[in-house]
Amino acid sequence: PHTQLAQNIICAYLTGARFFELKTVQILDSLEFEKPCIDAEDEGYNTEWSTELSIIQAYQEYVKSWFLLHILKKYLNLSPAAEPGFIFNMSVGYDLKGISSPLVDNFIESLKNALGNDFFNDCKDILRQKLPVLLPGIDLDFIEEISPRISSSITLSTMHGCPPGEQQSICSYLMKKKGLHTFVKLNPTLLGHEDVIALFHTLGFHEIKLNPESFIKDIQYPEAIRMISNLQKTAAECDLVFGVKLSNTLAVENNRSVLPGQEMYMSGRALYPLTISLAARLAGEFAGNLKISYAGGINAVNVADVLSTGIKPVTVATDLLKPGGYYRLRQMAESVAGEDFSSDQDILNVELLHDLADKVKHDEFYSKDYRQTESMQIERTLPLTNCYIAPCQEICPIHQDVPEYIHLIQEKRYREALWVIYAKNPLPFITGYVCDHQCMFKCVRNDYEQPLPIRDLKRIAAELGFQQFLQEIAVPAKTALKAAIIGAGPCGLATASYLSWAGIDVTLFDLHDSAGGMVKHTLPPFRLPDAATLHDLELLQKLGISCVFNCDPHITPEKLHKEGFKYVIIAIGAWQEKELPLAADPEKVLNTISFLNQFKKSPANIKLGRNVAVIGGGNSAMDGARAAKRVGGVKSVFIIYRRTIKEMPADREEFANALQDGVVFKELLQPVTLDKGELKCQVMQLGVPDESGRKRPLPVEGKFVNIPTDTVIIAIGEEADPSFLRRWQLPLDHQYRPITDENLQTGRENIFIGGDARTGPATVVEAIRDARKISDYIIKKENLSLPEFFSYTPGNNRIRIENSLEKKGNMIFPMQPYDKKYSPEIEASRCLDCALLCNKCVEVCPNRANIAIAVPGLRDACQIIHLDSLCNECGNCQTFCPYEGAPYRDKLTLYEDLTSFAESSGTGFVYLDENHLKIRYKGIIDEIRITADKFYSPLLNPSLEPELQNIFDIISTISSKYSYLIPLYARGGAEIE
């Protein structure tokens, strides 16, 4: 799709591309296609197989590109004057009848030599008139020297299932009759169904469903070898070059519910292992005497490797459909700069190709699991203006200012970074170890290589900035207002912090002998070192918070009110464990919390036997299993889960840690009884999804397995102590959870509840979210306020935006966290600063139909305009937009003419002349006039609609700074037909 329009080719050229395989044309050039047609979220998929342009339109785009690239080459001195510096390669399909038709034949001949083509000559006339004025350094002699011989090579792209005889006939025709250097695209189906399946399974691409018929209908390997041999002889007779283009896309079953139709074509990251394997096999078949043009998952990681084998040219498409877009070509070009791949060697390095094909099977980068997330979208509607957003910050339950503290880490300003963190998160050390870091799964770096280790960077900032930070904390002045917090776990501690900063006198009550709750008393030290908890508690102690430990378990709100506590916050956690009766001997069945509590206090005194089974699939199960592996005498630990590993709620990181510790996973099993050292389990299968969205586990009738087990550890969930909730007379819902209002106030005035006590087992950061919600309500109600540092303001945005632009398109792999050379500043420098600049919809649009313009006054970044005339509704911008929206439908649109404006219903505008427009906003259509930067609109009042004022500012900016976007008829004042 990136070689369809002149502007695409220009963008690619300016970012490093030098070989252009022009988009395929064919005799059927006016087809209508279902949209969307591109889904490049990870491996790429598409359903479209032809150009949207007519053959004549396509030719005109290529001619314009040809002239403009020559001008750019000379003006920017991009290559020696004696060299063309770039190559245009035709691409045609799909059968001999169509290719030899007058329309396609004229297309081919006019690219071979455009001297007699009217459009070519018209373009040259325009350049003769305009260019000396626009670019005085370029004279008329240069224009005359631009060659009319645009292309001397061609790539044949046939449909899947095209017979080898037809392919050979076309290639022979293109060489014998048309005199063209010829390459023929071959499909990865040549590897064979079994080998493709095996390779996908090795790399974890289990979701890709193949149609065996595709492998039967496509050309078979022996036939391909005979065809290549025959065509090599034909090329030698014609003194031309013949080769194969590896590879075409792979037809697969459409099982993603994103694109229309039953079949789609795969490309990108998952295609590289197939293509490099096919290249190695074919190169070996011909002892390296084979020309290969390569396309199949090329990116900055592998482009140098492929070129080093003697393969050339190398082309790329899918990688440019991802964030960074054309910018990605720059890094590819830089990665091979200084290398000499231009020699005329005719023999491929077969050994090196086989090495690459073998290496890819074990390369983590090409495994499906390398990408750590699926959808990158957040649950928010795409706004018309000011849409740039940091998904990492938005998905965080407390909306931690991630880009801000990472920017400060990059500048080694750790103390300031810790202040930014602390403004939203009073437990930076605990969360620096055990936060479930959902932020990481929305990091835009997932679309490049790997997300930033945001949690690790937070922990490092806390550690390196702690001492200075601690010295700067001043005890806030206390008011007469008092609050009691029942429970000193994460929710209680966070609430105590916020209220104390506002001057409220806080006392914590807890049943244990120390603060910290579940994280302190049950999380094993390999998950959370005691020092981390102590540091967070030290920060809280500076605030003068009082603590009552080993408190009366029957404490009542009435007693607390009598002692002067106006507000009471319940944060007792979820310590009540769910039971699963399995054995008559209770000593053989333990609950996770009890076991982890004992493990934390005295692991040496625990006796579990040789074999331990842990029941459950959450993080508690992972903790229990990993702790059990560390108990003396234990040889084997099994995790028994009734669904599959894919459905487990545990963090992928904790799952990986358990695997690394040697825990064995037993999926699709439901424990039934434990008897005489054997755990009998019912075999399960997955049915339809339940209310959680996961597939419901169903028993396979009559099928059981036995697992050797001495002790069972139950980890199937916890809940708040129901007796406490009943004693406090709190209203409960049908799940026996407390009912609260939006401020987490219970049915009893000034009594609040948060954390696990309210929701059931959740995360530390979700407990902090509840704490902030409760605290904000109380603080506002009492007309108090938090200190100014709780509202952090970013620094120099313009410099940061420029730095972010420099990183666009660059794959920058994370450093190894435990490497002695690890630098948090270097790791932080990978951040793309999405809170200030997004532009993903601009970067991923192959047609450049979304553009960014800088509008004074609208924050300090780019506003997005959608150009209707350039959009083919491929849907790629929707795939990568961080919102639940489609920029091509939902962003402010500039229409080419009144007809396209009338055919749409979205918010947008069309120029009638330079100062006269028609606009549609929220369904209202109005005509507006611009006079001296002022708008006159009879129906729309921007003073009542801030967003409308933003739109008027954007239109004003287009008129003053981006007038090239205004259609020619409007700039000339001509009437619209």
Side-chain angles (χ1 to χ4, degrees), residues 577-583 589-591 614-616 640 670-673 679 712-716:
E577 298 168 293
K578 295 180 180 179
E579 300 292 335
L580 183 64
L582 292 173
V589 181
L590 306 175
N591 284 307
V614 179
I615 315 302
I640 314 296
Q670 175 73 53
V672 179
T673 57
L679 180 64
V712 173
I713 298 174
I714 307 297
I716 59 173

PDB file of all heavy atoms in Angstrom, residues 577-583 589-591 614-616 640 670-673 679 712-716:
ATOM      1  N   GLU A 577     -10.518 -17.180  53.627  1.00  0.00           N
ATOM      2  CA  GLU A 577     -10.191 -18.054  52.505  1.00  0.00           C
ATOM      3  C   GLU A 577     -11.354 -18.972  52.148  1.00  0.00           C
ATOM      4  O   GLU A 577     -12.074 -19.446  53.021  1.00  0.00           O
ATOM      5  CB  GLU A 577      -8.964 -18.895  52.842  1.00  0.00           C
ATOM      6  CG  GLU A 577      -7.727 -18.040  53.085  1.00  0.00           C
ATOM      7  CD  GLU A 577      -6.592 -18.838  53.704  1.00  0.00           C
ATOM      8  OE1 GLU A 577      -6.718 -19.279  54.845  1.00  0.00           O
ATOM      9  OE2 GLU A 577      -5.571 -19.006  53.022  1.00  0.00           O
ATOM     10  N   LYS A 578     -11.508 -19.216  50.843  1.00  0.00           N
ATOM     11  CA  LYS A 578     -12.547 -20.117  50.380  1.00  0.00           C
ATOM     12  C   LYS A 578     -12.097 -21.564  50.579  1.00  0.00           C
ATOM     13  O   LYS A 578     -10.932 -21.892  50.387  1.00  0.00           O
ATOM     14  CB  LYS A 578     -12.867 -19.852  48.912  1.00  0.00           C
ATOM     15  CG  LYS A 578     -13.479 -18.479  48.666  1.00  0.00           C
ATOM     16  CD  LYS A 578     -13.778 -18.244  47.200  1.00  0.00           C
ATOM     17  CE  LYS A 578     -14.383 -16.857  46.979  1.00  0.00           C
ATOM     18  NZ  LYS A 578     -14.650 -16.595  45.549  1.00  0.00           N
ATOM     19  N   GLU A 579     -13.053 -22.402  50.953  1.00  0.00           N
ATOM     20  CA  GLU A 579     -12.735 -23.802  51.262  1.00  0.00           C
ATOM     21  C   GLU A 579     -12.960 -24.694  50.042  1.00  0.00           C
ATOM     22  O   GLU A 579     -13.784 -24.416  49.176  1.00  0.00           O
ATOM     23  CB  GLU A 579     -13.614 -24.296  52.412  1.00  0.00           C
ATOM     24  CG  GLU A 579     -13.446 -23.490  53.708  1.00  0.00           C
ATOM     25  CD  GLU A 579     -12.085 -23.686  54.347  1.00  0.00           C
ATOM     26  OE1 GLU A 579     -11.471 -24.744  54.098  1.00  0.00           O
ATOM     27  OE2 GLU A 579     -11.618 -22.780  55.058  1.00  0.00           O
ATOM     28  N   LEU A 580     -12.197 -25.777  49.999  1.00  0.00           N
ATOM     29  CA  LEU A 580     -12.372 -26.805  48.977  1.00  0.00           C
ATOM     30  C   LEU A 580     -12.095 -28.156  49.635  1.00  0.00           C
ATOM     31  O   LEU A 580     -10.947 -28.598  49.723  1.00  0.00           O
ATOM     32  CB  LEU A 580     -11.405 -26.582  47.800  1.00  0.00           C
ATOM     33  CG  LEU A 580     -11.543 -27.547  46.623  1.00  0.00           C
ATOM     34  CD1 LEU A 580     -12.900 -27.388  45.953  1.00  0.00           C
ATOM     35  CD2 LEU A 580     -10.428 -27.306  45.603  1.00  0.00           C
ATOM     36  N   PRO A 581     -13.138 -28.803  50.155  1.00  0.00           N
ATOM     37  CA  PRO A 581     -12.939 -30.070  50.864  1.00  0.00           C
ATOM     38  C   PRO A 581     -12.460 -31.171  49.924  1.00  0.00           C
ATOM     39  O   PRO A 581     -13.129 -31.501  48.955  1.00  0.00           O
ATOM     40  CB  PRO A 581     -14.332 -30.384  51.423  1.00  0.00           C
ATOM     41  CG  PRO A 581     -15.274 -29.649  50.532  1.00  0.00           C
ATOM     42  CD  PRO A 581     -14.556 -28.423  50.073  1.00  0.00           C
ATOM     43  N   LEU A 582     -11.272 -31.708  50.240  1.00  0.00           N
ATOM     44  CA  LEU A 582     -10.697 -32.740  49.389  1.00  0.00           C
ATOM     45  C   LEU A 582     -10.318 -34.009  50.149  1.00  0.00           C
ATOM     46  O   LEU A 582     -10.288 -35.096  49.573  1.00  0.00           O
ATOM     47  CB  LEU A 582      -9.437 -32.209  48.680  1.00  0.00           C
ATOM     48  CG  LEU A 582      -9.638 -31.129  47.620  1.00  0.00           C
ATOM     49  CD1 LEU A 582      -8.299 -30.610  47.154  1.00  0.00           C
ATOM     50  CD2 LEU A 582     -10.432 -31.664  46.442  1.00  0.00           C
ATOM     51  N   ALA A 583      -9.991 -33.871  51.441  1.00  0.00           N
ATOM     52  CA  ALA A 583      -9.474 -35.025  52.190  1.00  0.00           C
ATOM     53  C   ALA A 583     -10.001 -35.003  53.606  1.00  0.00           C
ATOM     54  O   ALA A 583     -10.336 -33.945  54.163  1.00  0.00           O
ATOM     55  CB  ALA A 583      -7.949 -34.998  52.195  1.00  0.00           C
ATOM     56  N   VAL A 589      -4.425 -30.559  53.705  1.00  0.00           N
ATOM     57  CA  VAL A 589      -4.981 -29.490  52.865  1.00  0.00           C
ATOM     58  C   VAL A 589      -4.777 -28.160  53.578  1.00  0.00           C
ATOM     59  O   VAL A 589      -5.280 -27.956  54.684  1.00  0.00           O
ATOM     60  CB  VAL A 589      -6.475 -29.713  52.568  1.00  0.00           C
ATOM     61  CG1 VAL A 589      -7.006 -28.596  51.683  1.00  0.00           C
ATOM     62  CG2 VAL A 589      -6.693 -31.055  51.889  1.00  0.00           C
ATOM     63  N   LEU A 590      -4.029 -27.254  52.952  1.00  0.00           N
ATOM     64  CA  LEU A 590      -3.738 -25.944  53.523  1.00  0.00           C
ATOM     65  C   LEU A 590      -4.341 -24.852  52.641  1.00  0.00           C
ATOM     66  O   LEU A 590      -4.522 -25.036  51.441  1.00  0.00           O
ATOM     67  CB  LEU A 590      -2.222 -25.719  53.618  1.00  0.00           C
ATOM     68  CG  LEU A 590      -1.393 -26.772  54.357  1.00  0.00           C
ATOM     69  CD1 LEU A 590       0.086 -26.433  54.243  1.00  0.00           C
ATOM     70  CD2 LEU A 590      -1.817 -26.845  55.813  1.00  0.00           C
ATOM     71  N   ASN A 591      -4.634 -23.718  53.255  1.00  0.00           N
ATOM     72  CA  ASN A 591      -5.033 -22.537  52.502  1.00  0.00           C
ATOM     73  C   ASN A 591      -3.808 -21.673  52.218  1.00  0.00           C
ATOM     74  O   ASN A 591      -2.876 -21.624  53.024  1.00  0.00           O
ATOM     75  CB  ASN A 591      -6.084 -21.734  53.266  1.00  0.00           C
ATOM     76  CG  ASN A 591      -7.452 -22.391  53.178  1.00  0.00           C
ATOM     77  OD1 ASN A 591      -7.942 -22.680  52.093  1.00  0.00           O
ATOM     78  ND2 ASN A 591      -8.059 -22.663  54.322  1.00  0.00           N
ATOM     79  N   VAL A 614      -0.896 -27.311  44.099  1.00  0.00           N
ATOM     80  CA  VAL A 614      -1.506 -26.014  44.389  1.00  0.00           C
ATOM     81  C   VAL A 614      -2.702 -25.851  43.462  1.00  0.00           C
ATOM     82  O   VAL A 614      -2.582 -25.985  42.238  1.00  0.00           O
ATOM     83  CB  VAL A 614      -0.512 -24.863  44.180  1.00  0.00           C
ATOM     84  CG1 VAL A 614      -1.162 -23.524  44.469  1.00  0.00           C
ATOM     85  CG2 VAL A 614       0.729 -25.059  45.051  1.00  0.00           C
ATOM     86  N   ILE A 615      -3.879 -25.571  44.052  1.00  0.00           N
ATOM     87  CA  ILE A 615      -5.106 -25.468  43.273  1.00  0.00           C
ATOM     88  C   ILE A 615      -5.422 -24.002  43.022  1.00  0.00           C
ATOM     89  O   ILE A 615      -5.631 -23.229  43.953  1.00  0.00           O
ATOM     90  CB  ILE A 615      -6.297 -26.127  44.008  1.00  0.00           C
ATOM     91  CG1 ILE A 615      -5.900 -27.485  44.584  1.00  0.00           C
ATOM     92  CG2 ILE A 615      -7.494 -26.229  43.084  1.00  0.00           C
ATOM     93  CD1 ILE A 615      -5.389 -28.470  43.565  1.00  0.00           C
ATOM     94  N   GLY A 616      -5.477 -23.600  41.757  1.00  0.00           N
ATOM     95  CA  GLY A 616      -5.799 -22.215  41.417  1.00  0.00           C
ATOM     96  C   GLY A 616      -4.922 -21.713  40.291  1.00  0.00           C
ATOM     97  O   GLY A 616      -3.925 -22.349  39.924  1.00  0.00           O
ATOM     98  N   ILE A 640      -2.577 -27.010  39.679  1.00  0.00           N
ATOM     99  CA  ILE A 640      -3.733 -27.648  39.057  1.00  0.00           C
ATOM    100  C   ILE A 640      -4.754 -26.563  38.737  1.00  0.00           C
ATOM    101  O   ILE A 640      -5.198 -25.826  39.625  1.00  0.00           O
ATOM    102  CB  ILE A 640      -4.374 -28.692  40.005  1.00  0.00           C
ATOM    103  CG1 ILE A 640      -3.303 -29.579  40.648  1.00  0.00           C
ATOM    104  CG2 ILE A 640      -5.425 -29.500  39.263  1.00  0.00           C
ATOM    105  CD1 ILE A 640      -2.530 -30.433  39.687  1.00  0.00           C
ATOM    106  N   GLN A 670      -9.811 -30.643  37.345  1.00  0.00           N
ATOM    107  CA  GLN A 670     -10.580 -30.215  38.515  1.00  0.00           C
ATOM    108  C   GLN A 670     -10.360 -31.228  39.641  1.00  0.00           C
ATOM    109  O   GLN A 670     -10.763 -32.378  39.517  1.00  0.00           O
ATOM    110  CB  GLN A 670     -12.062 -30.134  38.182  1.00  0.00           C
ATOM    111  CG  GLN A 670     -12.964 -29.810  39.363  1.00  0.00           C
ATOM    112  CD  GLN A 670     -12.830 -28.362  39.792  1.00  0.00           C
ATOM    113  OE1 GLN A 670     -12.970 -27.450  38.995  1.00  0.00           O
ATOM    114  NE2 GLN A 670     -12.561 -28.160  41.061  1.00  0.00           N
ATOM    115  N   PRO A 671      -9.681 -30.824  40.749  1.00  0.00           N
ATOM    116  CA  PRO A 671      -9.443 -31.762  41.853  1.00  0.00           C
ATOM    117  C   PRO A 671     -10.756 -32.293  42.434  1.00  0.00           C
ATOM    118  O   PRO A 671     -11.743 -31.556  42.557  1.00  0.00           O
ATOM    119  CB  PRO A 671      -8.688 -30.923  42.880  1.00  0.00           C
ATOM    120  CG  PRO A 671      -8.104 -29.805  42.094  1.00  0.00           C
ATOM    121  CD  PRO A 671      -9.075 -29.511  40.998  1.00  0.00           C
ATOM    122  N   VAL A 672     -10.741 -33.576  42.791  1.00  0.00           N
ATOM    123  CA  VAL A 672     -11.932 -34.218  43.353  1.00  0.00           C
ATOM    124  C   VAL A 672     -11.662 -34.696  44.773  1.00  0.00           C
ATOM    125  O   VAL A 672     -12.339 -34.286  45.721  1.00  0.00           O
ATOM    126  CB  VAL A 672     -12.393 -35.402  42.468  1.00  0.00           C
ATOM    127  CG1 VAL A 672     -13.629 -36.079  43.083  1.00  0.00           C
ATOM    128  CG2 VAL A 672     -12.699 -34.930  41.058  1.00  0.00           C
ATOM    129  N   THR A 673     -10.669 -35.562  44.960  1.00  0.00           N
ATOM    130  CA  THR A 673     -10.346 -36.080  46.302  1.00  0.00           C
ATOM    131  C   THR A 673      -8.844 -36.299  46.423  1.00  0.00           C
ATOM    132  O   THR A 673      -8.148 -36.553  45.426  1.00  0.00           O
ATOM    133  CB  THR A 673     -11.047 -37.425  46.576  1.00  0.00           C
ATOM    134  OG1 THR A 673     -10.665 -38.367  45.567  1.00  0.00           O
ATOM    135  CG2 THR A 673     -12.549 -37.269  46.601  1.00  0.00           C
ATOM    136  N   LEU A 679      -3.896 -37.400  44.251  1.00  0.00           N
ATOM    137  CA  LEU A 679      -4.944 -36.401  44.038  1.00  0.00           C
ATOM    138  C   LEU A 679      -5.702 -36.778  42.772  1.00  0.00           C
ATOM    139  O   LEU A 679      -5.161 -36.733  41.660  1.00  0.00           O
ATOM    140  CB  LEU A 679      -4.348 -34.994  43.883  1.00  0.00           C
ATOM    141  CG  LEU A 679      -5.345 -33.860  43.659  1.00  0.00           C
ATOM    142  CD1 LEU A 679      -6.255 -33.686  44.875  1.00  0.00           C
ATOM    143  CD2 LEU A 679      -4.621 -32.549  43.349  1.00  0.00           C
ATOM    144  N   VAL A 712      -1.974 -30.553  49.652  1.00  0.00           N
ATOM    145  CA  VAL A 712      -2.671 -29.668  48.725  1.00  0.00           C
ATOM    146  C   VAL A 712      -2.731 -28.268  49.330  1.00  0.00           C
ATOM    147  O   VAL A 712      -3.044 -28.107  50.513  1.00  0.00           O
ATOM    148  CB  VAL A 712      -4.098 -30.175  48.432  1.00  0.00           C
ATOM    149  CG1 VAL A 712      -4.870 -29.148  47.610  1.00  0.00           C
ATOM    150  CG2 VAL A 712      -4.057 -31.505  47.700  1.00  0.00           C
ATOM    151  N   ILE A 713      -2.420 -27.268  48.517  1.00  0.00           N
ATOM    152  CA  ILE A 713      -2.543 -25.866  48.937  1.00  0.00           C
ATOM    153  C   ILE A 713      -3.652 -25.239  48.097  1.00  0.00           C
ATOM    154  O   ILE A 713      -3.584 -25.228  46.869  1.00  0.00           O
ATOM    155  CB  ILE A 713      -1.222 -25.107  48.757  1.00  0.00           C
ATOM    156  CG1 ILE A 713      -0.126 -25.724  49.641  1.00  0.00           C
ATOM    157  CG2 ILE A 713      -1.407 -23.620  49.082  1.00  0.00           C
ATOM    158  CD1 ILE A 713       1.243 -25.120  49.417  1.00  0.00           C
ATOM    159  N   ILE A 714      -4.685 -24.743  48.785  1.00  0.00           N
ATOM    160  CA  ILE A 714      -5.847 -24.173  48.097  1.00  0.00           C
ATOM    161  C   ILE A 714      -5.622 -22.680  47.848  1.00  0.00           C
ATOM    162  O   ILE A 714      -5.348 -21.922  48.780  1.00  0.00           O
ATOM    163  CB  ILE A 714      -7.130 -24.372  48.930  1.00  0.00           C
ATOM    164  CG1 ILE A 714      -7.315 -25.844  49.303  1.00  0.00           C
ATOM    165  CG2 ILE A 714      -8.340 -23.846  48.170  1.00  0.00           C
ATOM    166  CD1 ILE A 714      -7.499 -26.757  48.127  1.00  0.00           C
ATOM    167  N   ALA A 715      -5.746 -22.268  46.603  1.00  0.00           N
ATOM    168  CA  ALA A 715      -5.577 -20.855  46.234  1.00  0.00           C
ATOM    169  C   ALA A 715      -6.671 -20.468  45.251  1.00  0.00           C
ATOM    170  O   ALA A 715      -6.404 -20.089  44.109  1.00  0.00           O
ATOM    171  CB  ALA A 715      -4.199 -20.626  45.635  1.00  0.00           C
ATOM    172  N   ILE A 716      -7.914 -20.573  45.710  1.00  0.00           N
ATOM    173  CA  ILE A 716      -9.046 -20.325  44.803  1.00  0.00           C
ATOM    174  C   ILE A 716      -9.792 -19.037  45.143  1.00  0.00           C
ATOM    175  O   ILE A 716     -10.905 -18.818  44.667  1.00  0.00           O
ATOM    176  CB  ILE A 716     -10.017 -21.521  44.808  1.00  0.00           C
ATOM    177  CG1 ILE A 716     -10.550 -21.784  46.226  1.00  0.00           C
ATOM    178  CG2 ILE A 716      -9.341 -22.749  44.238  1.00  0.00           C
ATOM    179  CD1 ILE A 716     -11.637 -22.849  46.258  1.00  0.00           C
TER     180      ILE A 716
END
